[in-house]
Amino acid sequence: MSVHLAEDFQAHVTAIQAAEEERVAWLKGFAGQLSDVVSKYRDATRDLDSEKVARRFSQQEAEEWRTKFERLQKSMEKSSFVLVLIDADADSYIFKDEYYSASDGGRKASLDLRDRVRDFLQSERPELANHPIVVKAYANELGLSQFLVASGTVKSPRDLLDFAKDFTQASETTDFVLVGSGKDRADKKIQGAYFMAYKIH
């Protein structure tokens, strides 16, 4: 009987040992799978964090560029203006006689011209209508004064000087410039003013 008991006990121990080995093997396999999952999770987390960082920096950079662009745009808007250049002794651009003959004709010519330009911009180029209007008229003093006196529009060359002074003083953005005598002298002044404005903008 003792022999059978010993054999039964040995068989029981063997069975327990086999079951334990099987359980250990399963635990090892599970541990390996768990380690693989944890490793993949860490990789995914690092990738996600890197993506978030990259996205955050991309958004920050985009915001910085947008801010710079808006500042530049506002700066350009503040410095923008509409430039009107006039060859005032050319036949097609000489002001009407009543402006030259009136006592305050220069002032009226300056303000009326500015208003007409504003009306044109509001109608044809509304995006420019709120910009300052800079008017620069150039004329050959000797040639224009002689023409006005000869036509009876003014009594003396001095009247043209008064007109130019009143035109210029009417607004801080309007000038009537009397240039020296000489062919195309006014044209050269207009070209110079145009290229200076072009370089600024």
Side-chain angles (χ1 to χ4, degrees), residues 55 80 120 126 131 159 182 200:
R55 185 165 58 248
S80 295
F120 171 81
H131 290 325
D159 294 334
I200 292 174

Side-chain angles (χ1 to χ4, degrees), residues 63-165:
E63 181 66 21
E64 289 177 354
W65 278 108
R66 185 182 68 82
T67 301
K68 290 180 180 179
F69 174 77
E70 289 179 349
R71 288 177 180 173
L72 178 61
Q73 190 174 33
K74 289 180 180 179
S75 176
M76 290 180 63
E77 289 176 354
K78 288 182 179 179
S79 63
S80 295
F81 57 89
V82 175
L83 178 63
V84 180
L85 299 174
I86 302 174
D87 185 352
D89 57 14
D91 292 341
S92 301
Y93 298 101
I94 293 179
F95 288 95
K96 293 180 179 179
D97 291 350
E98 54 263 34
Y99 286 119
Y100 287 112
S101 59
S103 59
D104 61 343
R107 180 177 181 277
K108 290 181 62 178
S110 175
L111 298 179
D112 286 352
L113 176 60
R114 185 191 60 186
D115 291 343
R116 297 298 181 274
V117 172
R118 182 77 67 192
D119 291 342
F120 171 81
L121 293 175
Q122 289 175 344
S123 174
E124 303 297 330
R125 298 292 300 276
E127 72 277 10
L128 302 177
N130 293 325
H131 290 325
I133 297 173
V134 177
V135 177
K136 290 189 176 295
Y138 298 91
N140 180 320
E141 179 181 353
L142 180 61
L144 182 57
S145 62
Q146 289 179 344
F147 171 81
L148 293 175
V149 171
S151 64
T153 304
V154 299
K155 295 179 179 180
S156 72
R158 177 68 190 180
D159 294 334
L160 176 59
L161 296 177
D162 292 338
F163 173 89
K165 180 188 67 175

Side-chain angles (χ1 to χ4, degrees), residues 17-52:
Q17 186 177 9
E20 186 66 19
E21 290 176 354
E22 183 179 352
R23 189 172 69 86
V24 170
W26 181 86
L27 288 174
K28 287 182 178 180
F30 178 77
Q33 293 177 6
L34 181 60
S35 177
D36 184 57
V37 170
V38 170
S39 178
K40 291 181 178 179
Y41 172 77
R42 287 175 177 172
D43 291 342
T45 301
R46 281 195 296 267
D47 292 342
L48 182 60
D49 289 341
S50 298
E51 184 178 345
K52 287 181 178 178

Side-chain angles (χ1 to χ4, degrees), residues 184-201:
D184 298 332
R185 186 67 63 87
D187 294 343
K188 295 296 184 181
K189 288 289 187 179
I190 290 174
Q191 291 175 8
Y194 173 79
F195 284 117
M196 284 298 296
Y198 179 80
K199 288 181 179 180
I200 292 174
H201 287 72

